[in-house]
Amino acid sequence: MKIEYFHASKFGSGEKLAGEFKRLMSERGITVNIHHMRDVKPKNLPAADLYVFSSPGRLGKPPIYVRRFLQGVDLAPGSRYAILNTQGAAGVNKKGELPTDEELSKYRQMLPIMRKILDGKGLHFVASEVIDVFDLKGPMEEGWEDKVEAFVERVL
Ligand SMILES: Cc1cc2nc3c(=O)[nH]c(=O)nc-3n(C[C@H](O)[C@H](O)[C@H](O)COP(=O)(O)O)c2cc1C
């Protein structure tokens, strides 16, 4: 089994997730090739049994170049994909208030936007997971390695 993994990490958390995903898969005898979306043209992605896409958030959405990358993906309908995102951890505002569910959901439209693009191409969604990142640049939430391992089990 071969997995192609495309991330868009800026500060390193998404890259760490990719490395952990690869490590856990290699323990299971599975090859994972990691790419930054900036380094790859989305047309003609290498053949794989599973594609993983990973994005941070920017103003509630994936960064524009991630949306463009996903829109440019040209894979056979039915190709399997999974999403392993990072997002900003919810914190209190200047008044000491936590965001409401509605505010949080506006800040976190990355997964639905990515799914809409990829499902719209007839690709087959397998699983998703998201990891909270504190203070934009990390650290990631405690126990993130366990969440990645559970994600690995779900995609297999
Ligand atoms: C300018 C800017 C805007 C951001 N906007 C959002 C956002 O709307 N929603 C969200 O969940 N996280 C947001 N974040 C936090 C990023 O998701 C977080 O920095 C990222 O997940 C870290 O991953 P990386 O280390 O792989 O770059 C924003 C970060 C920056 C720098």
Side-chain angles (χ1 to χ4, degrees):
M1 181 170 181
K2 184 165 84 86
I3 299 176
E4 297 290 333
Y5 190 121
F6 302 90
H7 72 85
S9 179
K10 177 163 185 184
F11 302 117
S13 293
E15 200 176 347
K16 256 194 205 167
L17 291 186
E20 181 66 3
F21 180 87
K22 181 182 170 110
R23 191 187 70 76
L24 291 165
M25 284 297 184
S26 75
E27 281 180 2
R28 291 157 175 79
I30 295 164
T31 304
V32 179
N33 297 317
I34 300 173
H35 319 264
H36 197 289
M37 287 184 200
R38 283 218 162 98
D39 301 331
V40 181
K41 297 242 182 328
K43 304 258 179 241
N44 306 320
L45 296 184
D49 303 290
L50 176 76
Y51 297 86
V52 180
F53 302 104
S54 173
S55 179
R58 289 292 182 275
L59 304 174
K61 299 175 179 176
I64 181 72
Y65 77 91
V66 172
R67 280 178 274 152
R68 290 206 181 111
F69 182 95
L70 297 178
Q71 277 153 2
V73 163
D74 187 17
L75 293 169
S79 300
R80 299 169 72 246
Y81 80 94
I83 291 178
L84 178 56
N85 281 347
T86 56
Q87 66 185 11
V92 292
N93 65 17
K94 285 175 190 152
K95 293 184 195 158
E97 302 158 340
L98 277 169
T100 62
D101 286 348
E102 198 184 332
E103 285 163 344
L104 266 187
S105 123
K106 273 193 195 152
Y107 187 65
R108 293 177 171 168
Q109 288 299 304
M110 292 77 81
L111 178 65
I113 290 170
M114 294 167 77
R115 285 215 48 190
K116 192 170 175 202
I117 297 170
L118 296 169
D119 292 351
K121 292 175 180 286
L123 305 192
H124 178 75
F125 173 74
V126 176
S128 70
E129 186 53 272
V130 62
I131 307 293
D132 276 355
V133 176
F134 291 90
D135 300 327
L136 305 183
K137 297 185 180 180
M140 289 190 278
E141 64 178 284
E142 225 174 274
W144 65 268
E145 296 94 336
D146 296 337
K147 280 177 95 171
V148 175
E149 183 148 26
F151 175 74
V152 160
E153 296 299 343
R154 286 209 300 283
V155 299
L156 289 180

